[in-house]
Amino acid sequence: MKVVAGSAGEKVARAVGLALKAEVLPVERRRFPDGEGYVRLLAAAKDEDVVLVNSTLPDQNLVETLLLQDALHRARAATITTVVPYYAYARQDRSFQDGETVSAQAVAELLELKTDRFVTVDPHKEHILGFFGVEAHAATCVPEIAEWLRKEGVDLVLAPDKGALERASAVGKLLGADVDHLEKTRLTGTEVRMAPKNLNVKDRKVAIVDDLISTGGTIATAAAELKRQGAANVYAACTHGLFVGGGLDRILQSGCDKVAAADTLENAVAEIPCAPGIVRALRAAGVVR
Ligand code: R5P
């Protein structure tokens, strides 16, 4: 087993390599003056089972992932397992209006071409795995999120909306904490409304758990409402921390005491490791023992 890292996968690839006692192969990655990407494997991959790790945000990392798959294919790797910690485009998982693409499917149909299997972490909706023409698996960092929240002494876990309840429930179960959900209505791309559902949060340590934080609007609005209802502390934890347009500051200014994300993407609060979940998924898929 060998591991190869893309530009948005170096830290996770190192952690996966360490856990599997697998060498991370050296790779040259650079850009031509016009911005096009260049990759070159600097070690043999012939007859090796290779795990390629790269998130696909921004778009140039998607192209880089396709180039690395091609390089491994040409180098005659025995098998290629493409691990995408953060699968960008997963949120457009159906066509909402006439004329739209289903981005999660369109990108899956590119990523499946030169790989034997695909693994991603906590996808927004699991049904997107069905868009791949090769076996596709979801890894999860729910246990690691629960571990981070345990250190804060959280006793109530909330999902920001009903759709996110399954993930919050899994975290709550591991913590032995109560679980509930908020009522969220999205107004615009950055604004949401939280219905003031009475949740009995007074003097409690409350966590909001979501799959991803983008602008921070969801968490900031929820945290402000929970503090208004008397929560002693509010924590936010997610798998994918995009924090676009000052999203992290927005959350911290809302009254949220602490925020953490898994390290599927690089950001200032990427404190929760996703590699253990990836290794569990690789084991469950029979890729490694
Ligand atoms: C939505 O379904 C997701 O689970 C997140 O709640 C959402 O994408 C967060 O976006 P934002 O941080 O911009 O409110």
Side-chain angles (χ1 to χ4, degrees):
M1 169 74 55
K2 304 283 182 198
V3 179
V4 164
S7 303
E10 286 187 351
K11 183 183 170 201
V12 177
R14 272 198 305 277
V16 169
L18 207 63
L20 298 180
K21 297 186 174 56
E23 183 191 357
V24 180
L25 297 182
V27 174
E28 180 182 355
R29 297 183 304 257
R30 59 181 169 83
R31 299 224 150 257
F32 289 109
D34 64 359
E36 286 178 6
Y38 171 92
V39 300
R40 182 180 166 217
L41 300 174
L42 298 176
K46 190 168 183 311
D47 299 332
E48 298 284 357
D49 293 312
V50 180
V51 174
L52 164 63
V53 185
N54 207 13
S55 285
T56 53
L57 188 83
D59 287 353
Q60 60 188 37
N61 288 326
L62 170 61
V63 175
E64 190 189 78
T65 305
L66 299 173
L67 296 180
L68 284 166
Q69 287 176 326
D70 183 65
L72 288 166
H73 187 70
R74 288 170 187 275
R76 296 183 195 283
T79 63
I80 304 169
T81 298
T82 303
V83 175
V84 175
Y86 176 64
Y87 178 37
Y89 292 103
R91 279 183 287 174
Q92 182 85 15
D93 63 330
R94 61 193 170 95
S95 183
F96 298 89
Q97 299 183 67
D98 284 352
E100 283 183 348
T101 176
V102 180
S103 316
Q105 181 166 12
V107 176
E109 286 169 0
L110 292 174
L111 286 168
E112 75 185 30
L113 292 174
K114 287 177 180 166
T115 196
D116 296 277
R117 66 187 65 77
F118 176 82
V119 177
T120 190
V121 182
D122 288 337
H124 184 58
K125 300 260 171 65
E126 287 232 0
H127 78 90
I128 64 149
L129 299 174
F131 291 149
F132 288 83
V134 293
E135 58 176 277
H137 307 270
T140 183
C141 35
V142 158
E144 287 71 30
I145 289 177
E147 215 35 60
W148 184 81
L149 293 172
R150 190 188 306 283
K151 291 185 196 127
E152 304 296 343
V154 163
D155 57 9
L156 173 62
V157 178
L158 296 178
D161 54 39
K162 216 171 176 184
L165 193 55
E166 200 178 316
R167 184 173 291 104
S169 300
V171 171
K173 197 169 168 197
L174 287 171
L175 285 175
D178 295 336
V179 178
D180 207 331
H181 67 88
L182 293 148
E183 301 282 1
K184 168 171 121 176
T185 312
R186 184 162 287 287
L187 304 174
T188 66
T190 54
E191 300 303 320
V192 297
R193 185 176 55 221
M194 290 290 171
K197 184 179 172 188
N198 204 343
L199 284 164
N200 188 24
V201 295
K202 193 150 176 36
D203 300 328
R204 300 184 76 177
K205 290 178 172 249
V206 186
I208 313 162
V209 174
D210 210 349
D211 60 330
L212 71 89
I213 298 176
S214 179
T215 65
T218 300
I219 299 291
T221 309
E225 176 61 21
L226 293 169
K227 279 285 172 94
R228 196 189 63 76
Q229 291 188 22
N233 295 101
V234 177
Y235 303 95
C238 70
T239 301
H240 311 293
L242 283 89
F243 302 118
V244 298
L248 188 53
D249 289 340
R250 186 177 185 188
I251 293 171
L252 293 171
Q253 283 159 16
S254 72
C256 184
D257 294 276
K258 242 175 169 182
V259 188
D263 54 6
T264 58
L265 293 166
E266 276 184 35
N267 58 64
V269 293
E271 296 173 23
I272 299 169
C274 71
I278 291 171
V279 170
R280 286 193 295 271
L282 292 174
R283 292 211 164 103
V287 182
V288 286
R289 264 183 283 152

mmCIF file of all heavy atoms in Angstrom, residues 91 124-125 160-161 164 167 184 186 189-192 210-220 244 250-251, ligand 1:
data_model
loop_
_atom_site.group_PDB
_atom_site.id
_atom_site.type_symbol
_atom_site.label_atom_id
_atom_site.label_comp_id
_atom_site.label_asym_id
_atom_site.label_seq_id
_atom_site.Cartn_x
_atom_site.Cartn_y
_atom_site.Cartn_z
ATOM 1 N N ARG A 91 -23.269 19.414 -2.800
ATOM 2 C CA ARG A 91 -24.540 19.984 -2.339
ATOM 3 C C ARG A 91 -25.573 20.132 -3.452
ATOM 4 O O ARG A 91 -26.755 20.167 -3.184
ATOM 5 C CB ARG A 91 -24.292 21.338 -1.657
ATOM 6 C CG ARG A 91 -23.840 21.156 -0.216
ATOM 7 C CD ARG A 91 -23.674 22.474 0.476
ATOM 8 N NE ARG A 91 -22.497 23.188 0.027
ATOM 9 C CZ ARG A 91 -22.182 24.426 0.405
ATOM 10 N NH1 ARG A 91 -22.984 25.086 1.203
ATOM 11 N NH2 ARG A 91 -21.083 25.005 -0.032
ATOM 12 N N HIS A 124 -22.742 15.470 2.256
ATOM 13 C CA HIS A 124 -23.968 16.176 2.632
ATOM 14 C C HIS A 124 -25.177 15.231 2.586
ATOM 15 O O HIS A 124 -25.994 15.208 3.502
ATOM 16 C CB HIS A 124 -24.150 17.363 1.689
ATOM 17 C CG HIS A 124 -25.304 18.219 2.022
ATOM 18 N ND1 HIS A 124 -25.435 18.832 3.247
ATOM 19 C CD2 HIS A 124 -26.402 18.554 1.305
ATOM 20 C CE1 HIS A 124 -26.565 19.512 3.272
ATOM 21 N NE2 HIS A 124 -27.171 19.359 2.111
ATOM 22 N N LYS A 125 -25.273 14.444 1.520
ATOM 23 C CA LYS A 125 -26.330 13.421 1.406
ATOM 24 C C LYS A 125 -25.666 12.145 0.891
ATOM 25 O O LYS A 125 -24.953 12.178 -0.115
ATOM 26 C CB LYS A 125 -27.411 13.854 0.404
ATOM 27 C CG LYS A 125 -28.132 15.152 0.760
ATOM 28 C CD LYS A 125 -29.480 14.855 1.394
ATOM 29 C CE LYS A 125 -30.140 16.100 1.965
ATOM 30 N NZ LYS A 125 -30.504 17.094 0.955
ATOM 31 N N PRO A 160 -28.961 21.835 13.279
ATOM 32 C CA PRO A 160 -29.511 23.135 12.880
ATOM 33 C C PRO A 160 -30.873 23.016 12.191
ATOM 34 O O PRO A 160 -31.630 23.978 12.152
ATOM 35 C CB PRO A 160 -28.472 23.707 11.920
ATOM 36 C CG PRO A 160 -27.589 22.579 11.548
ATOM 37 C CD PRO A 160 -27.706 21.509 12.596
ATOM 38 N N ASP A 161 -31.187 21.852 11.648
ATOM 39 C CA ASP A 161 -32.520 21.612 11.075
ATOM 40 C C ASP A 161 -32.804 20.110 11.138
ATOM 41 O O ASP A 161 -31.917 19.309 11.461
ATOM 42 C CB ASP A 161 -32.643 22.148 9.636
ATOM 43 C CG ASP A 161 -31.547 21.600 8.733
ATOM 44 O OD1 ASP A 161 -31.206 20.414 8.860
ATOM 45 O OD2 ASP A 161 -31.028 22.369 7.906
ATOM 46 N N ALA A 164 -30.556 17.509 9.409
ATOM 47 C CA ALA A 164 -29.216 17.215 9.945
ATOM 48 C C ALA A 164 -29.293 16.425 11.251
ATOM 49 O O ALA A 164 -28.287 16.227 11.926
ATOM 50 C CB ALA A 164 -28.461 18.526 10.165
ATOM 51 N N ARG A 167 -27.043 13.003 11.936
ATOM 52 C CA ARG A 167 -25.641 13.178 12.329
ATOM 53 C C ARG A 167 -25.558 13.647 13.790
ATOM 54 O O ARG A 167 -24.772 13.142 14.577
ATOM 55 C CB ARG A 167 -24.975 14.192 11.400
ATOM 56 C CG ARG A 167 -23.505 14.398 11.641
ATOM 57 C CD ARG A 167 -22.880 15.272 10.578
ATOM 58 N NE ARG A 167 -22.833 14.621 9.287
ATOM 59 C CZ ARG A 167 -23.646 14.877 8.267
ATOM 60 N NH1 ARG A 167 -24.570 15.793 8.378
ATOM 61 N NH2 ARG A 167 -23.543 14.222 7.126
ATOM 62 N N LYS A 184 -34.850 25.646 10.930
ATOM 63 C CA LYS A 184 -34.143 26.624 10.091
ATOM 64 C C LYS A 184 -34.885 26.870 8.787
ATOM 65 O O LYS A 184 -35.345 25.940 8.142
ATOM 66 C CB LYS A 184 -32.738 26.085 9.793
ATOM 67 C CG LYS A 184 -31.970 26.823 8.719
ATOM 68 C CD LYS A 184 -30.523 26.355 8.669
ATOM 69 C CE LYS A 184 -30.141 25.805 7.329
ATOM 70 N NZ LYS A 184 -28.734 25.419 7.214
ATOM 71 N N ARG A 186 -33.985 28.921 5.216
ATOM 72 C CA ARG A 186 -32.975 29.712 4.502
ATOM 73 C C ARG A 186 -33.656 30.853 3.767
ATOM 74 O O ARG A 186 -34.593 30.640 2.991
ATOM 75 C CB ARG A 186 -32.186 28.823 3.533
ATOM 76 C CG ARG A 186 -31.075 29.578 2.836
ATOM 77 C CD ARG A 186 -30.015 28.683 2.225
ATOM 78 N NE ARG A 186 -29.123 28.053 3.179
ATOM 79 C CZ ARG A 186 -28.164 28.680 3.842
ATOM 80 N NH1 ARG A 186 -27.982 29.978 3.685
ATOM 81 N NH2 ARG A 186 -27.397 28.015 4.677
ATOM 82 N N GLY A 189 -28.600 33.219 0.341
ATOM 83 C CA GLY A 189 -27.377 32.408 0.416
ATOM 84 C C GLY A 189 -26.649 32.584 1.743
ATOM 85 O O GLY A 189 -25.938 31.687 2.187
ATOM 86 N N THR A 190 -26.780 33.755 2.364
ATOM 87 C CA THR A 190 -26.031 33.995 3.604
ATOM 88 C C THR A 190 -26.929 34.174 4.824
ATOM 89 O O THR A 190 -26.444 34.169 5.948
ATOM 90 C CB THR A 190 -25.157 35.271 3.479
ATOM 91 O OG1 THR A 190 -26.005 36.360 3.088
ATOM 92 C CG2 THR A 190 -24.040 35.097 2.479
ATOM 93 N N GLU A 191 -28.228 34.352 4.625
ATOM 94 C CA GLU A 191 -29.125 34.627 5.753
ATOM 95 C C GLU A 191 -30.073 33.449 5.999
ATOM 96 O O GLU A 191 -30.662 32.919 5.055
ATOM 97 C CB GLU A 191 -29.972 35.884 5.480
ATOM 98 C CG GLU A 191 -29.150 37.154 5.255
ATOM 99 C CD GLU A 191 -28.222 37.492 6.411
ATOM 100 O OE1 GLU A 191 -28.620 37.326 7.574
ATOM 101 O OE2 GLU A 191 -27.078 37.897 6.140
ATOM 102 N N VAL A 192 -30.208 33.079 7.272
ATOM 103 C CA VAL A 192 -31.183 32.053 7.638
ATOM 104 C C VAL A 192 -32.014 32.588 8.798
ATOM 105 O O VAL A 192 -31.602 33.514 9.498
ATOM 106 C CB VAL A 192 -30.509 30.726 8.059
ATOM 107 C CG1 VAL A 192 -29.734 30.106 6.919
ATOM 108 C CG2 VAL A 192 -29.612 30.914 9.268
ATOM 109 N N ASP A 210 -23.143 20.193 12.538
ATOM 110 C CA ASP A 210 -23.583 20.234 11.138
ATOM 111 C C ASP A 210 -22.536 19.547 10.269
ATOM 112 O O ASP A 210 -21.399 19.359 10.704
ATOM 113 C CB ASP A 210 -23.763 21.696 10.693
ATOM 114 C CG ASP A 210 -24.835 21.847 9.622
ATOM 115 O OD1 ASP A 210 -25.288 20.811 9.076
ATOM 116 O OD2 ASP A 210 -25.218 22.989 9.324
ATOM 117 N N ASP A 211 -22.920 19.194 9.045
ATOM 118 C CA ASP A 211 -21.908 18.577 8.178
ATOM 119 C C ASP A 211 -20.921 19.627 7.687
ATOM 120 O O ASP A 211 -19.731 19.374 7.627
ATOM 121 C CB ASP A 211 -22.534 17.815 6.998
ATOM 122 C CG ASP A 211 -23.371 18.700 6.092
ATOM 123 O OD1 ASP A 211 -23.946 19.694 6.581
ATOM 124 O OD2 ASP A 211 -23.468 18.409 4.879
ATOM 125 N N LEU A 212 -21.423 20.826 7.372
ATOM 126 C CA LEU A 212 -20.480 21.848 6.926
ATOM 127 C C LEU A 212 -20.901 23.233 7.359
ATOM 128 O O LEU A 212 -22.081 23.502 7.597
ATOM 129 C CB LEU A 212 -20.253 21.782 5.414
ATOM 130 C CG LEU A 212 -21.324 22.213 4.439
ATOM 131 C CD1 LEU A 212 -21.198 23.685 4.127
ATOM 132 C CD2 LEU A 212 -21.196 21.409 3.162
ATOM 133 N N ILE A 213 -19.905 24.093 7.485
ATOM 134 C CA ILE A 213 -20.164 25.508 7.741
ATOM 135 C C ILE A 213 -19.607 26.255 6.538
ATOM 136 O O ILE A 213 -18.437 26.089 6.189
ATOM 137 C CB ILE A 213 -19.474 25.990 9.041
ATOM 138 C CG1 ILE A 213 -20.026 25.219 10.254
ATOM 139 C CG2 ILE A 213 -19.689 27.497 9.215
ATOM 140 C CD1 ILE A 213 -19.328 25.552 11.578
ATOM 141 N N SER A 214 -20.462 27.048 5.905
ATOM 142 C CA SER A 214 -20.009 27.799 4.736
ATOM 143 C C SER A 214 -19.847 29.269 5.118
ATOM 144 O O SER A 214 -18.781 29.696 5.550
ATOM 145 C CB SER A 214 -21.009 27.596 3.592
ATOM 146 O OG SER A 214 -20.601 28.319 2.462
ATOM 147 N N THR A 215 -20.904 30.058 5.036
ATOM 148 C CA THR A 215 -20.797 31.485 5.417
ATOM 149 C C THR A 215 -20.862 31.661 6.931
ATOM 150 O O THR A 215 -20.583 32.746 7.439
ATOM 151 C CB THR A 215 -21.947 32.295 4.821
ATOM 152 O OG1 THR A 215 -23.184 31.850 5.413
ATOM 153 C CG2 THR A 215 -22.029 32.138 3.310
ATOM 154 N N GLY A 216 -21.289 30.625 7.643
ATOM 155 C CA GLY A 216 -21.451 30.727 9.096
ATOM 156 C C GLY A 216 -22.812 31.266 9.503
ATOM 157 O O GLY A 216 -23.115 31.360 10.696
ATOM 158 N N GLY A 217 -23.637 31.614 8.505
ATOM 159 C CA GLY A 217 -24.948 32.196 8.818
ATOM 160 C C GLY A 217 -25.814 31.277 9.673
ATOM 161 O O GLY A 217 -26.458 31.724 10.630
ATOM 162 N N THR A 218 -25.826 29.998 9.355
ATOM 163 C CA THR A 218 -26.655 29.036 10.097
ATOM 164 C C THR A 218 -26.231 28.980 11.568
ATOM 165 O O THR A 218 -27.051 29.131 12.477
ATOM 166 C CB THR A 218 -26.521 27.627 9.471
ATOM 167 O OG1 THR A 218 -26.968 27.702 8.118
ATOM 168 C CG2 THR A 218 -27.306 26.583 10.232
ATOM 169 N N ILE A 219 -24.938 28.774 11.785
ATOM 170 C CA ILE A 219 -24.447 28.604 13.165
ATOM 171 C C ILE A 219 -24.563 29.914 13.943
ATOM 172 O O ILE A 219 -24.965 29.918 15.115
ATOM 173 C CB ILE A 219 -22.986 28.104 13.169
ATOM 174 C CG1 ILE A 219 -22.881 26.743 12.462
ATOM 175 C CG2 ILE A 219 -22.434 28.031 14.593
ATOM 176 C CD1 ILE A 219 -23.518 25.579 13.160
ATOM 177 N N ALA A 220 -24.229 31.043 13.301
ATOM 178 C CA ALA A 220 -24.281 32.333 14.004
ATOM 179 C C ALA A 220 -25.709 32.638 14.462
ATOM 180 O O ALA A 220 -25.941 33.050 15.607
ATOM 181 C CB ALA A 220 -23.760 33.451 13.102
ATOM 182 N N VAL A 244 -16.412 30.806 4.465
ATOM 183 C CA VAL A 244 -16.235 31.804 3.397
ATOM 184 C C VAL A 244 -16.630 33.191 3.908
ATOM 185 O O VAL A 244 -17.489 33.324 4.790
ATOM 186 C CB VAL A 244 -17.029 31.434 2.115
ATOM 187 C CG1 VAL A 244 -16.539 30.130 1.535
ATOM 188 C CG2 VAL A 244 -18.524 31.360 2.380
ATOM 189 N N ARG A 250 -17.821 35.730 12.065
ATOM 190 C CA ARG A 250 -19.268 35.912 12.194
ATOM 191 C C ARG A 250 -19.823 35.003 13.293
ATOM 192 O O ARG A 250 -20.642 35.414 14.110
ATOM 193 C CB ARG A 250 -19.902 35.578 10.836
ATOM 194 C CG ARG A 250 -21.361 35.844 10.770
ATOM 195 C CD ARG A 250 -21.876 35.547 9.378
ATOM 196 N NE ARG A 250 -23.278 35.931 9.276
ATOM 197 C CZ ARG A 250 -24.037 35.655 8.240
ATOM 198 N NH1 ARG A 250 -23.540 35.026 7.200
ATOM 199 N NH2 ARG A 250 -25.302 36.018 8.218
ATOM 200 N N ILE A 251 -19.345 33.770 13.328
ATOM 201 C CA ILE A 251 -19.825 32.812 14.342
ATOM 202 C C ILE A 251 -19.356 33.228 15.737
ATOM 203 O O ILE A 251 -20.135 33.243 16.686
ATOM 204 C CB ILE A 251 -19.318 31.385 14.010
ATOM 205 C CG1 ILE A 251 -19.967 30.891 12.722
ATOM 206 C CG2 ILE A 251 -19.608 30.425 15.142
ATOM 207 C CD1 ILE A 251 -19.393 29.604 12.195
HETATM 208 C C1 R5P B 1 -27.077 22.783 4.704
HETATM 209 O O1 R5P B 1 -27.893 21.955 4.387
HETATM 210 C C2 R5P B 1 -25.776 22.459 5.348
HETATM 211 O O2 R5P B 1 -25.866 21.315 6.155
HETATM 212 C C3 R5P B 1 -25.290 23.620 6.184
HETATM 213 O O3 R5P B 1 -26.191 23.855 7.232
HETATM 214 C C4 R5P B 1 -25.168 24.880 5.383
HETATM 215 O O4 R5P B 1 -24.553 24.663 4.146
HETATM 216 C C5 R5P B 1 -24.378 25.912 6.167
HETATM 217 O O5 R5P B 1 -24.256 27.077 5.402
HETATM 218 P P1 R5P B 1 -23.926 28.457 6.072
HETATM 219 O O6 R5P B 1 -22.743 28.275 6.953
HETATM 220 O O7 R5P B 1 -23.643 29.359 4.890
HETATM 221 O O8 R5P B 1 -25.154 28.898 6.819
#
